[in-house]
Amino acid sequence: ELKVEQNPLFLSMQEGKNYTIYCNYSTTSDRLYWYRQDPGKSLESLFVLLSNGAVKQEGRLMASLDTKARLSTLHITAAVHDLSATYFCAVSRDSNYQLIWGAGTKLIIKP
Amino acid sequence: EAQVTQNPRYLITVTGKKLTVTCSQNMNHEYMSWYRQDPGLGLRQIYYSMNVEVTDKGDVPEGYKVSRKEKRNFPLILESPSPNQTSLYFCASSLMSLPLWEQYFGPGTRLTVT
């Protein structure tokens, strides 16, 4: 059974600091997604990672994938208040059109 | 504008009163899906559809029904809602083309069953 675990589930940090959110999954998978959700809003796609060693960056966010370790990380550089949101990772089962989601990491960045 | 729409956005109902939440997309996507979101549990898939008249169960299908008679619409039906179905519901759609397969989400429907 495919399971996805995110750590931490809650993170409060100061502006200007760096931090990393971790996403572990239990079995092999073809692709890994990162989504962002603002309070009371829908989900917005951030990154899709398709292969081992894949790295994607947008602004202060950088996502990477290690398929051998079954681990993805979302790194935040010099955090700003606007990045406060809940971040979800989700993993697709091999050759299957289903997504299994992590519980989400609620990130609060204090000015 | 490419979008996924859901109606209603908010609904309060009573136990046992049948209801339907509509979902429509204008992107000609083959794949559509329903999720529920509960605090601390992330999103859990209820049902999905890979094309017209093709639907399948997700992880938590009990108490729900769906139909896919047209490509653009994928309604979620609760025949006899119960309080444990109080949740935030999202509809999503995507093309079927791998390997990317990126889903686009509707705005959500907050359902309260009393």
Side-chain angles (χ1 to χ4, degrees):
Chain A
E1 183 186 357
L2 179 56
K3 293 186 178 180
V4 181
E5 290 188 356
Q6 282 183 241
N7 287 291
L9 298 182
F10 179 80
L11 178 59
S12 179
M13 55 194 289
Q14 295 292 130
E15 276 192 327
K17 300 289 188 182
N18 303 334
Y19 211 82
T20 301
I21 300 171
Y22 298 90
C23 175
N24 289 92
Y25 54 98
S26 58
T27 63
T28 57
S29 173
D30 288 332
R31 58 199 70 83
L32 188 138
Y33 301 81
W34 284 98
Y35 282 87
R36 168 182 172 148
Q37 185 179 36
D38 292 317
K41 304 289 186 182
S42 187
L43 290 99
E44 172 191 357
S45 177
L46 292 174
F47 302 110
V48 182
L49 303 169
L50 299 178
S51 59
N52 188 43
V55 177
K56 295 273 186 80
Q57 182 165 6
E58 182 166 334
R60 300 174 187 273
L61 300 177
M62 183 175 72
S64 65
L65 178 62
D66 181 344
T67 58
K68 294 180 182 177
R70 296 177 189 159
L71 171 69
S72 179
T73 59
L74 180 66
H75 187 74
I76 303 145
T77 302
V80 294
H81 179 65
D82 287 351
L83 290 178
S84 296
T86 299
Y87 293 86
F88 292 94
C89 64
V91 177
S92 171
R93 300 180 200 259
D94 289 354
S95 303
N96 187 314
Y97 290 90
Q98 288 186 275
L99 276 181
I100 305 299
W101 294 74
T105 297
K106 185 171 183 178
L107 176 64
I108 295 176
I109 300 170
K110 301 175 182 176
Chain B
E1 178 189 355
Q3 60 182 352
V4 179
T5 58
Q6 294 178 228
N7 282 290
R9 295 288 312 280
Y10 302 91
L11 179 60
I12 301 174
T13 190
V14 296
T15 299
K17 186 177 181 181
K18 181 179 178 179
L19 66 93
T20 299
V21 184
T22 65
C23 174
S24 183
Q25 50 92 5
N26 62 359
M27 296 170 279
N28 203 35
H29 285 168
E30 301 95 347
Y31 183 95
M32 297 185 75
S33 180
W34 277 103
Y35 296 91
R36 59 178 289 172
Q37 183 180 19
D38 302 292
L41 295 178
L43 274 74
R44 292 180 292 167
Q45 190 173 43
I46 304 171
Y47 271 95
Y48 63 97
S49 169
M50 297 169 78
N51 215 325
V52 175
E53 303 291 0
V54 180
T55 63
D56 208 347
K57 297 177 181 179
D59 295 314
V60 289
E62 296 80 16
Y64 304 93
K65 285 176 58 178
V66 292
S67 67
R68 187 91 181 272
K69 294 184 171 54
E70 304 168 284
K71 196 172 186 179
R72 63 183 293 127
N73 296 323
F74 190 44
L76 179 69
I77 303 157
L78 284 72
E79 294 269 3
S80 182
S82 62
N84 65 12
Q85 293 178 299
T86 292
S87 188
L88 179 59
Y89 291 87
F90 288 101
C91 179
S93 74
S94 70
L95 293 170
M96 292 283 290
S97 55
L98 293 174
L100 188 61
W101 188 57
E102 189 170 1
Q103 293 191 47
Y104 297 86
F105 284 80
T109 294
R110 186 165 293 281
L111 172 65
T112 302
V113 183
T114 61

